[in-house]
Amino acid sequence: MSETPVPVRTPGRPGSAATPAAATPAAAVTRREPGGMFHSWDLSTGVDGPGTRFVAFLAGCPLRCQYCHNPDTRYMRDGRRVLANEVVGEAAKYVDFIAASGGGATVSGGEPLLQSVFTGELLHRFKRELGLHTALDTSGYLGSRATDALLADTDLVLLDIKSWDRSLYRRLTARELGPTLTFARRLADLGKEVWVRFVLVPGLTDRPENVEGVAAFTASLGNVSRVDVLPFHRLGAEKWRALGLEFTLADTPVPTAGQTAAARAVFAAHGLHAV
């Protein structure tokens, strides 16, 4: 999804520097630095938040999205266990480069709120220690796991609203839409900046009433500064095959430029900045 990707790396072993104490209240309960199941990291420019960003991909996700382009992050076992210090130390190497672009750090997945304590620790340290703008990339399905402290350390939420039609949402993800909408309203009440992401899939999410429903709900929130209408693609199909999984949308066409522009126009008609 990034415009200028670099090779994906995983963090190295901890160096000789002392591991800091747990930074966040949730982690401090255990009196040790929290760890988590970590998949990989990347530097990106584009849809992971403003500017160039250090993006930490955590392993594990409760959704089973038909168009997922990272099915290799589906299970916790798809990652390796690391301490927060390893990930923060990797991001620290790029702070000057990131800051020069007006960028920051994004915690993604998988679904990062599946590991909410680890995610909270990363966001806290990215923001408080490295001075970076922070973003949380989430489906919102596990939004109830996001504590107020975690959200206080989050400058921007990238929220995937995959469908307005509830039966279609269940078909696409094997989960329910309600928790995402509840989380979206909570973010609105907090005045937290949100970018909404909507994947346009021909024959599925592109129905006019579905696009209109997502657009109207998004506009009602009052805290959404941008909407990314993302054209469906099949770039993750090879990952599905490598994992022995059936990619059911293999024959689904990508939307045309005209179809994508039309969907963006629906959001724009509601006063939203759609790209």
Side-chain angles (χ1 to χ4, degrees):
M1 306 289 296
S2 305
E3 294 176 4
T4 57
V6 298
V8 173
R9 305 169 177 86
T10 53
R13 297 297 178 185
S16 58
T19 298
T24 57
V29 170
T30 65
R31 299 194 177 186
R32 65 178 181 271
E33 182 193 3
M37 297 306 292
F38 189 83
H39 184 270
S40 58
W41 67 269
D42 197 0
L43 289 178
S44 74
T45 301
V47 298
D48 296 306
T52 299
R53 309 197 63 88
F54 179 93
V55 186
F57 295 96
L58 307 192
C61 182
L63 273 62
R64 296 293 177 261
C65 298
Q66 290 186 21
Y67 51 70
C68 179
H69 63 281
N70 287 322
D72 50 328
T73 65
R74 177 177 287 190
Y75 300 107
M76 297 279 277
R77 64 174 181 267
D78 293 327
R80 73 176 184 90
R81 188 158 187 84
V82 302
L83 296 177
N85 194 43
E86 296 184 56
V87 185
V88 175
E90 204 66 59
K93 299 175 184 178
Y94 303 94
V95 165
D96 291 342
F97 174 65
I98 290 170
S101 74
T106 300
V107 184
S108 185
E111 171 50 65
L113 291 178
L114 190 62
Q115 303 182 67
S116 58
V117 172
F118 186 43
T119 293
E121 184 81 1
L122 292 177
L123 290 166
H124 182 87
R125 294 185 60 189
F126 286 151
K127 184 176 182 67
R128 310 297 177 181
E129 292 183 19
L130 302 185
L132 294 174
H133 176 277
T134 55
L136 172 68
D137 180 8
T138 177
S139 70
Y141 180 71
L142 298 179
S144 60
R145 297 191 181 189
T147 64
D148 288 344
L150 182 152
L151 292 177
D153 287 323
T154 303
D155 295 310
L156 171 69
V157 176
L158 309 175
L159 183 64
D160 294 331
I161 301 182
K162 303 171 189 295
S163 170
W164 182 248
D165 182 293
R166 284 158 173 75
S167 62
L168 176 59
Y169 190 94
R170 192 181 309 111
R171 176 182 166 191
L172 285 171
T173 70
R175 295 292 182 266
E176 301 298 323
L177 172 62
T180 294
L181 303 185
T182 298
F183 185 55
R185 294 188 183 99
R186 178 184 170 200
L187 294 172
D189 290 343
L190 291 172
K192 186 66 60 178
E193 184 182 7
V194 169
W195 288 8
V196 162
R197 286 169 156 179
F198 174 71
V199 179
L200 188 69
V201 185
L204 288 173
T205 66
D206 65 336
R207 294 199 304 270
E209 63 273 20
N210 190 53
V211 179
E212 171 65 25
V214 175
F217 174 77
T218 299
S220 75
L221 297 172
N223 62 325
V224 177
S225 59
R226 167 170 160 165
V227 177
D228 287 313
V229 177
L230 305 174
F232 163 75
H233 60 73
R234 296 186 292 267
L235 299 179
E238 184 55 41
K239 291 183 180 181
W240 284 75
R241 285 192 289 269
L243 294 168
L245 301 172
E246 181 187 4
F247 186 56
T248 59
L249 301 183
D251 296 326
T252 299
V254 299
T256 66
Q259 288 172 319
T260 303
R264 288 175 177 148
V266 174
F267 287 93
H270 283 272
L272 296 161
H273 174 56
V275 297

